[in-house]
Amino acid sequence: MFLSWPSVALMAGAVPLAVVTARPETVWAWLILVLAAVLLDVALTPSPRRLGARRTLEGSVRRLEATTSTVYVANPTGRHVRGLVRDAWQPSAEATGDRHALDLPPGEMRRMRTPLVPSRRGDLHAGPVVVRVNGPLHLAGRQLSIPVPATLRVLPEFASRRHLPSRLARLRELDGRSAVRVRGAGSEFDSLREYVIGDDVRSIDWRASARRSDVVVRTWRPERDRRVLIVVDTSRHAAARVGDQPRLDTSIEATLLLAALASKAGDRVEVIAFDRTVRSRVRGLSGPAMMAALATQLAPLEPRLIEADWSAAASVVDEALGQRALVVVLTSIDPAAVESGMLRALAPVARKHQMVVASVDDPDVVAMMSLREDALDVYGAAAATRFDLERKGISERLRKSGIDVVSGGPEEIAPRLADRYLELKAAGRL
């Protein structure tokens, strides 16, 4: 039961002046009269328990994309129902206009739509459908929360896909399918053509030149059907906020862009999310099926506040790969990485495979390095500068171990990693 504003006003504030100045018996009689009217209104209110409710929505939607939650309320009773319906969602669903007026004649059903613009990746769980039925006197009524479970999977935004067309154009140049041809790059034989000034003399095919009485060279293209293994760190390092989102979300964006590009290049892509155990794994797929599986598998991932087991991660990589491949590790490069044994564990992997470690730079740390307004800013700048020097030292140690390092801000890391993949492809190092 709930009390409406008219009944509260009658009992608390809107008492007639004649009643206030009268004897206590009169005041009590007035309050009893109001209470009796409220109880009568409640007794005459249709029970919300007899109403039916269900909710429908899309199975999945990308982050920051609009969708709609639709609630249906049916009235199988013989009484007219008036009131209010609330379609409850957790805050990150960003539901707007979730309260709907209800005017439901007997035997009919009403449909109410609630716009949603999810601001957070993962599974969003709907709350109950709250039905408030007003009494005929509008003094009170009845309210009921009807459990109507529903789950909306919010996929990664994949904002980095805007970089995909330009990288695909570069890939077509490398692969020899555009008007601009890249000479000498790659490691797979493509065709023969006449020698022109500037060609690498090591590409001259002397037997073919002898048959044609002209100097011809071999052209190469990047090898296809290579293995690309992407390891996404989901340990405590992934929980740190970089910019306005967790580091894990930035790593997922870079993973999606690289996976889409490598799949278009004809390479076999496998993605593993790992901290101490394998949290998620996508393999054996290509093209749109792989991208759909990646988005679905990575969407519910949340960082775990534990240290990553890099020795176990190296073992998982060895088990997954039987031939030389490109191994990309998306993690954080900071002093804690040395303490966790990342360098020691990844060095043997780098001797077998082409390895790239990608890390997101924190823009707040970069901004702190240039602040000099007061003493506190100077101390902060000194701490940020020391942290940056330590990161550069770790990056140098990784490079000496044969591991490429790619770093950049939250908006830069995905395209830079894609560019590094294309450079390795063009150099024939995959």
Side-chain angles (χ1 to χ4, degrees), residues 310-326:
W310 290 108
S311 297
S315 300
V316 171
V317 171
D318 286 337
E319 293 173 2
L321 300 175
Q323 59 184 12
R324 184 172 176 80
L326 172 63

Side-chain angles (χ1 to χ4, degrees), residues 130-389:
V130 183
V131 179
R132 173 177 289 186
V133 181
N134 296 326
L137 302 178
H138 294 280
L139 296 177
R142 298 183 181 183
Q143 180 172 303
L144 177 68
S145 295
I146 305 175
V148 186
T151 300
L152 176 65
R153 173 152 292 187
V154 183
L155 305 177
E157 183 182 0
F158 196 14
S160 59
R161 64 177 175 270
R162 66 181 183 274
H163 301 290
L164 188 57
S166 61
R167 271 64 187 180
L168 289 177
R170 292 176 55 187
L171 180 63
R172 285 191 294 269
E173 292 177 6
L174 292 177
D175 209 21
R177 290 196 297 268
S178 70
V180 180
R181 184 160 188 96
V182 179
R183 299 192 297 267
S187 56
E188 188 173 291
F189 176 74
D190 183 46
S191 62
L192 295 172
R193 61 169 176 79
E194 293 184 3
Y195 175 85
V196 296
I197 297 175
D199 284 338
D200 190 345
V201 295
R202 292 174 296 181
S203 298
I204 297 176
D205 190 319
W206 296 107
R207 291 188 179 181
S209 299
R211 289 194 299 269
R212 297 188 181 186
S213 300
D214 197 3
V215 180
V216 295
V217 295
R218 297 176 181 177
T219 61
W220 308 87
R221 64 184 177 189
E223 290 191 55
R224 304 176 69 85
D225 197 32
R226 310 299 289 177
R227 294 290 301 275
V228 178
L229 176 60
I230 305 173
V231 180
V232 181
D233 180 11
T234 58
S235 67
R236 67 180 183 87
H237 300 286
R241 295 194 69 84
V242 180
D244 60 350
Q245 58 185 347
R247 188 187 302 273
L248 178 59
D249 287 43
T250 306
S251 298
I252 289 175
E253 283 287 324
T255 298
L256 292 173
L257 180 61
L258 178 58
L261 182 60
S263 179
K264 288 288 186 180
D267 292 336
R268 291 173 289 166
V269 180
E270 181 176 350
V271 176
I272 297 175
F274 190 90
D275 40 57
R276 287 187 174 273
T277 58
V278 176
R279 300 279 307 283
S280 183
R281 192 168 194 163
V282 177
R283 58 180 172 179
L285 299 173
S286 61
M290 181 200 65
M291 296 306 297
L294 267 181
T296 302
Q297 291 292 323
L298 297 179
L301 277 181
E302 294 294 339
R304 300 173 66 184
L305 300 182
I306 57 176
E307 201 70 49
D309 187 345
W310 290 108
S311 297
S315 300
V316 171
V317 171
D318 286 337
E319 293 173 2
L321 300 175
Q323 59 184 12
R324 184 172 176 80
L326 172 63
V327 180
V328 179
V329 180
L330 289 149
T331 184
S332 171
I333 299 177
D334 54 36
V338 180
E339 300 175 2
S340 62
M342 183 181 73
L343 277 70
R344 183 175 60 255
L346 295 184
V349 179
R351 288 193 287 268
K352 301 177 184 177
H353 307 282
Q354 179 66 49
M355 176 166 279
V356 177
V357 172
S359 176
V360 185
D361 294 335
D362 191 342
D364 293 337
V365 174
V366 177
M368 286 177 61
M369 293 171 59
S370 60
L371 293 178
R372 300 290 190 277
E373 294 182 2
D374 53 32
L376 185 61
D377 287 340
V378 172
Y379 282 114
T385 302
R386 178 174 179 177
F387 179 79
D388 184 63
L389 290 174

